[in-house]
Amino acid sequence: MRHREKEETALFYIGWSLVLFASILALMYHLFPVPFSKLLLPCLVNSMFGIYCPGCGGTRAVSALLHGDFPTSFLFHPLVPYAAIVGGWFLISQSLERLSKHKIRIGMKYRDGYVWTALGILVLNFVVKNLLLIVWNIDLLKSVPL
């Protein structure tokens, strides 16, 4: 097995493990509802410096995405819908290819460019949100509670 195939196999199993873990958490949340804001710790960067860290907005973006609100999810943190689309297609296409015993060759291949794109989105999101906050006093995350 070539090196990239090993990476893809590892990512495949890690991805489905994360889906299973998230499903168990969702089931537990459904069975034992707790206000979501009670489960979260405040962002230390935001609390101490008054700016957003690179991850700020991620939880709200996941919540919006799970409620089917793609534009709001993108506004809160564009990395979340990007990861959902790229990761979702990777898992679906790899599953179809593996279930067909590689007769249907649609499995998305791992490329470093996907990670570099994610890093670029992360940095751009950090810069834009903080410029809006500091220069124009536009606070994108305070407008909608969890």
Side-chain angles (χ1 to χ4, degrees):
M1 189 182 299
R2 64 180 234 267
H3 183 65
R4 288 286 184 184
E5 288 173 356
K6 287 181 180 180
E7 287 178 345
E8 289 167 4
T9 299
L11 288 171
F12 176 76
Y13 288 118
I14 290 169
W16 279 116
S17 298
L18 290 174
V19 169
L20 177 65
F21 180 70
S23 299
I24 291 169
L25 284 179
L27 178 64
M28 289 178 60
Y29 181 75
H30 181 71
L31 294 174
F32 309 105
V34 175
F36 195 66
S37 58
K38 300 274 185 204
L39 302 173
L40 300 175
L41 297 172
C43 175
L44 292 175
V45 172
N46 189 269
S47 300
M48 292 174 62
F49 303 112
I51 63 170
Y52 293 125
C53 76
C56 278
T59 304
R60 286 185 171 100
V62 170
S63 178
L65 192 64
L66 290 175
H67 285 94
D69 191 354
F70 186 86
T72 301
S73 177
F74 185 83
L75 180 68
F76 283 148
H77 206 301
L79 185 59
V80 170
Y82 170 79
I85 291 168
V86 172
W89 176 246
F90 177 82
L91 289 177
I92 290 168
S93 67
Q94 285 282 328
S95 294
L96 290 172
E97 185 169 319
R98 290 165 192 262
L99 288 171
S100 73
K101 297 186 175 150
H102 302 283
K103 290 177 186 162
I104 303 173
R105 295 205 167 267
I106 62 168
M108 180 179 164
K109 303 300 179 197
Y110 170 79
R111 302 216 184 338
D112 290 340
Y114 297 124
V115 177
W116 286 109
T117 301
L119 182 61
I121 291 170
L122 191 69
V123 170
L124 188 62
N125 177 62
F126 173 74
V127 170
V128 168
K129 276 194 183 148
N130 284 309
L131 278 176
L132 287 171
L133 181 65
I134 294 166
V135 176
W136 293 285
N137 202 27
I138 299 171
D139 193 348
L140 295 176
L141 299 182
K142 297 290 185 208
S143 60
V144 180
L146 281 174

